[in-house]
Amino acid sequence: MKKAAIFYILILLSCKGFAQTEKIINPSDLKQQTVITEPLSLNKGFTRVGLAYSYSALDKYFNTNGKKMYSPESSWGIVSGAQVMVQYGITDRLMAEVGVPFKFDVTNYHWRIYAPGLDYMEISDMSVRGGGLADLYLSGTFQVIPSSRHKFSLKASLDVTIPTGRKNPENVVSSYDYDAPTGYGVFVLSPRITARLVHYPYSWVVYVQYSYNFSGSRIIYPGDTEERDYRYGNNIYAGGGVNLHLNEWIALTNDLVYSYTGRGEIENVSDDNLTTSYTFSYQPRIVFQIRRFRLGEAVNIPLKGRLTGADPLYVLLVQYIF
Amino acid sequence: MRKKVHFLLLVMSVSFIVPAFGQTESKQGDKYTLLTMPYINRPLNTYRGQLQVNAGYRFAVRSRSFDADGKKIVLKDDGNSSVLHYYFTEVKYGLTSFMEIGGEFYYMKRGIRDETISYISTDNAYTVNNLKEYKGPGDLFLYTALRLPFEYKWFDFGISGGIFLPTAGYKPDQPSHSITAESVNAYTINYHFNNKNGFGVPVYMISAAAKFTFSRLAFEAGFSIRDPLKEGTNIRWDQELTMLNTFAYENKPYMYLPDRTMLANASIHYQPVGWFNIYLGGNYTTMQDGWTEYYGLKYRNPEMHLFSLEPGFEIQISPTLILYQVAGIPLAGRNADASINFFTSLRFNMFLFRK
């Protein structure tokens, strides 16, 4: 019996144990986490570079009554841009980011003018071009409740927009033919709070951001000869979303976002052209995480709004983490 | 007793060595295998008992068109570029592995602007904008498809036939024109026509398709004819500006016959791994033989031809979900819009009764 017991013990020792083991996390694994499982900021020493391209056609807008309307004139506009961004994890809870955006906007205006009494006809083709460097931003993020030890995490961020873009219209031929500004012309401070709860394969996220616009001076309307003091209305941007893993490397995120912009001023007087506006949008996004490489596609679909554009915005994003 | 203890201990010991939940090779025909079947090994139809739901969105930018001579026209130079939003859903069910039934439905909206024209005289100035909006559901399409009655190895052939039922309510709604005074004698007139989608009459469609697989490559080709069953009656809205600067509307009926449409497509697919299929397709469409009545006379519709290139891919996300993305790039044509379009769709597959 003793021999038999030794024999069985030897057999048992030869088999693989299935006991629970501590998971060894190495940096390579951390760099392959998805938008759902990754921490709210980069780990210490990690660098992420990315390029985002956005595209939207100017076709519809929300009028003062919140009704979605087509732009009636025979105009055609494209709003597009590219942004290079770099993120760096200073510590496991503190991250710095810089973004350098470029704009490639163009709106074409076309119309025909008949003056039968003068036996005159003219075809007019004009365009407003908004191409070039836009306002770059710097951002700092701190994990208040860190992601590493909690399913619930919270981060605070502060974005500073620096007016590096062209602030005044240039090469003005007429009010429909000029190089449009590519920047706001003023500094903008944007504090933001983001909270997230992860319950794999799902995560829930809520965020709120307030953007404070400093005052500045610029040429307000093309053709004006002098800059005037102005201040854009401040903006509040709040949203929340449900995200899920479709499989281990494809994530689908769904956000509902509300954005409200307050009334602006020109020379300390409230101006009708800078009146309040809002949008309520749905933002689905699908993100492919292929090891350290990330490819994302997102669409911003305005559902309701007032005095804003009502066209979907398509965004293509590529990122790589070092 | 001792022998029994020995036997029991031996069984317990060995049971630790043999993995109880080890991966086993899927049997051909089990649900998981069928749901994750790569494109190159998939027949043209759904399997028996398979329910397939497709939902997609197409975004098209109509910034070019081809004229009657095939010359490309830049529409923004004419002031009538537009975008198109197309939402699509399709449900298929495999009655057998060789016979499938299905239905398709779409919702589409677009607004096509005409050139803005200003008329200036010594007394008045009028600017006229013209917008034709197309918005609403399309016709419901019901069909049956048959394929060769044996398991797909490397060749398949199928035919299908179906009908578009005129469920869309083709007749246009009353226009919503408006006029605004810009100054004392300057006005802007916005003509806004509210059109709907669909054919307005029943339209049948018959198709044939073939598929070949060679190693990791597959070729698929198809041909379809879509033809109206009868002539239809539609209405055309006329408007008159009243003294109160509002519009009075009146509609008049007219006869029409939708075009006969022929579609030919071919694609080559490469499947490097089981979950990913990348392909390049070509699509040729021609529309002809339709007519429209104007003032009691029938005028033949311009004959339309369009050839587009369609690169795309599919990704098997999970056993039940497949993601498709395809771009449509018009290369040549006559009397056709040359809309660059992007189509994204999700395909959901399940077996209702198979375990």
Side-chain angles (χ1 to χ4, degrees), chain A residues 59 110 112 114 247 297, chain B residues 77 113 115 118 120 317 325:
Chain A
D59 191 45
H110 170 94
R112 191 181 294 254
Y114 285 107
N247 62 21
E297 291 181 85
Chain B
D77 293 346
R113 284 171 280 268
E115 182 181 57
S118 293
I120 299 170
I317 293 173
Q325 286 201 312

Side-chain angles (χ1 to χ4, degrees), chain A residues 1 4 8 57 59 70-74 76 108 110-116 125 246-247 249 288 297 312, chain B residues 2 6 76-79 81 83 85 110-111 113-120 129 131 133 275 317 323 325:
Chain A
M1 184 67 190
Y8 296 131
D59 191 45
Y70 282 96
S71 304
E73 300 90 3
S74 51
W76 176 244
N108 296 284
H110 170 94
W111 68 89
R112 191 181 294 254
I113 301 165
Y114 285 107
D125 282 303
L246 296 173
N247 62 21
W249 58 279
F288 303 92
E297 291 181 85
Chain B
R2 201 171 175 179
H6 274 254
K76 68 180 172 58
D77 293 346
D78 288 343
S81 294
V83 296
H85 304 280
R110 71 193 308 185
R113 284 171 280 268
D114 277 351
E115 182 181 57
T116 295
I117 302 176
S118 293
Y119 300 92
I120 299 170
N129 297 313
L131 176 79
E133 183 178 6
W275 52 267
I317 293 173
L323 172 75
Q325 286 201 312

Side-chain angles (χ1 to χ4, degrees), chain B residues 71-174:
Chain B
K71 190 180 165 191
K72 197 174 268 189
I73 299 169
V74 181
L75 292 174
K76 68 180 172 58
D77 293 346
D78 288 343
N80 60 359
S81 294
S82 63
V83 296
L84 177 145
H85 304 280
Y86 177 88
Y87 307 87
F88 167 83
T89 186
E90 178 187 32
V91 179
K92 295 178 181 180
Y93 182 72
L95 289 177
T96 71
S97 286
F98 319 112
M99 184 179 183
E100 166 188 290
I101 56 170
E104 291 178 16
F105 181 74
Y106 72 86
Y107 181 93
M108 187 183 79
K109 55 184 178 181
R110 71 193 308 185
I112 299 176
R113 284 171 280 268
D114 277 351
E115 182 181 57
T116 295
I117 302 176
S118 293
Y119 300 92
I120 299 170
S121 70
T122 50
D123 300 326
N124 297 305
Y126 289 93
T127 297
V128 178
N129 297 313
N130 204 324
L131 176 79
K132 296 181 186 74
E133 183 178 6
Y134 295 82
K135 183 180 177 183
D139 290 336
L140 177 66
F141 179 59
L142 301 174
Y143 72 92
T144 302
L146 300 168
R147 59 171 291 267
L148 295 175
F150 48 77
E151 193 178 305
Y152 183 77
K153 296 288 185 190
W154 62 273
F155 172 69
D156 201 5
F157 178 78
I159 55 169
S160 67
I163 187 164
F164 289 88
L165 300 172
T167 53
Y170 181 60
K171 290 180 180 171
D173 287 336
Q174 180 175 291

Side-chain angles (χ1 to χ4, degrees), chain A:
Chain A
M1 184 67 190
K2 197 176 177 181
K3 284 180 183 173
I6 292 167
F7 173 70
Y8 296 131
I9 288 167
L10 285 173
I11 290 178
L12 282 169
L13 286 174
S14 70
C15 74
K16 283 183 184 176
F18 294 101
Q20 187 173 334
T21 56
E22 189 179 352
K23 189 178 179 187
I24 299 167
I25 298 173
N26 60 52
S28 180
D29 289 339
L30 293 174
K31 289 172 182 175
Q32 297 177 31
Q33 289 176 303
T34 69
V35 286
I36 291 175
T37 54
E38 69 179 0
L40 286 174
S41 67
L42 285 179
N43 289 79
K44 183 181 178 183
F46 288 9
T47 304
R48 177 185 284 145
V49 294
L51 176 69
Y53 173 76
S54 62
Y55 177 94
S56 180
L58 295 177
D59 191 45
K60 296 176 97 171
Y61 67 98
F62 290 108
N63 68 8
T64 50
N65 300 319
K67 190 177 176 189
K68 205 180 267 190
M69 306 286 287
Y70 282 96
S71 304
E73 300 90 3
S74 51
S75 61
W76 176 244
I78 298 293
V79 177
S80 68
Q83 179 168 294
V84 178
M85 48 83 78
V86 180
Q87 296 173 330
Y88 179 72
I90 298 165
T91 71
D92 281 350
R93 296 173 67 174
L94 185 64
M95 181 178 79
E97 180 177 345
V98 59
V100 185
F102 297 87
K103 294 181 83 172
F104 315 111
D105 301 348
V106 63
T107 305
N108 296 284
Y109 297 93
H110 170 94
W111 68 89
R112 191 181 294 254
I113 301 165
Y114 285 107
L118 301 171
D119 195 19
Y120 174 80
M121 190 275 283
E122 180 188 329
I123 293 173
S124 172
D125 282 303
M126 289 180 278
S127 63
V128 174
R129 306 154 299 273
L133 177 69
D135 295 342
L136 70 84
Y137 72 88
L138 302 172
S139 179
T141 296
F142 179 72
Q143 290 187 44
V144 181
I145 300 174
S147 307
S148 58
R149 293 189 297 275
H150 305 87
K151 285 185 174 179
F152 177 79
S153 50
L154 183 78
K155 72 172 179 181
S157 308
L158 179 67
D159 296 353
V160 181
T161 304
I162 301 165
T164 50
R166 184 172 61 242
K167 72 171 184 175
N168 287 325
E170 292 178 358
N171 302 318
V172 178
V173 179
S174 72
S175 56
Y176 291 97
D177 197 342
Y178 61 94
D179 292 337
T182 56
Y184 279 110
V186 292
F187 282 88
V188 184
L189 271 185
S190 306
R192 182 172 68 250
I193 295 283
T194 305
R196 189 182 66 173
L197 179 68
V198 178
H199 188 79
Y200 193 85
Y202 304 99
S203 75
W204 291 266
V205 64
V206 290
Y207 44 85
V208 60
Q209 174 177 293
Y210 184 80
S211 293
Y212 178 82
N213 292 298
F214 288 87
S215 56
S217 66
R218 73 188 310 178
I219 289 175
I220 306 295
Y221 303 110
D224 288 355
T225 52
E226 289 185 2
E227 291 188 354
R228 289 194 284 169
D229 294 336
Y230 73 98
R231 199 171 83 79
Y232 289 125
N234 297 332
N235 173 267
I236 188 161
Y237 185 89
V242 181
N243 315 316
L244 73 148
H245 270 277
L246 296 173
N247 62 21
E248 286 184 349
W249 58 279
I250 304 177
L252 177 70
T253 71
N254 298 276
D255 283 18
L256 286 171
V257 175
Y258 176 77
S259 173
Y260 175 85
T261 302
R263 198 174 178 88
E265 295 174 343
I266 295 176
E267 293 183 330
N268 297 320
V269 178
S270 184
D271 192 274
D272 284 343
N273 287 322
L274 299 176
T275 189
T276 59
S277 63
Y278 78 89
T279 50
F280 183 63
S281 307
Y282 170 56
Q283 295 178 350
R285 182 169 57 139
I286 190 159
V287 185
F288 303 92
Q289 184 74 42
I290 306 155
R291 298 184 185 275
R292 298 181 181 193
F293 181 74
R294 181 178 289 172
L295 175 70
E297 291 181 85
V299 184
N300 179 69
I301 305 165
L303 302 174
K304 299 285 284 181
R306 179 179 179 275
L307 294 175
T308 59
D311 298 302
L313 175 81
Y314 173 78
V315 180
L316 179 68
L317 172 78
V318 287
Q319 290 180 334
Y320 188 82
I321 190 165
F322 296 94

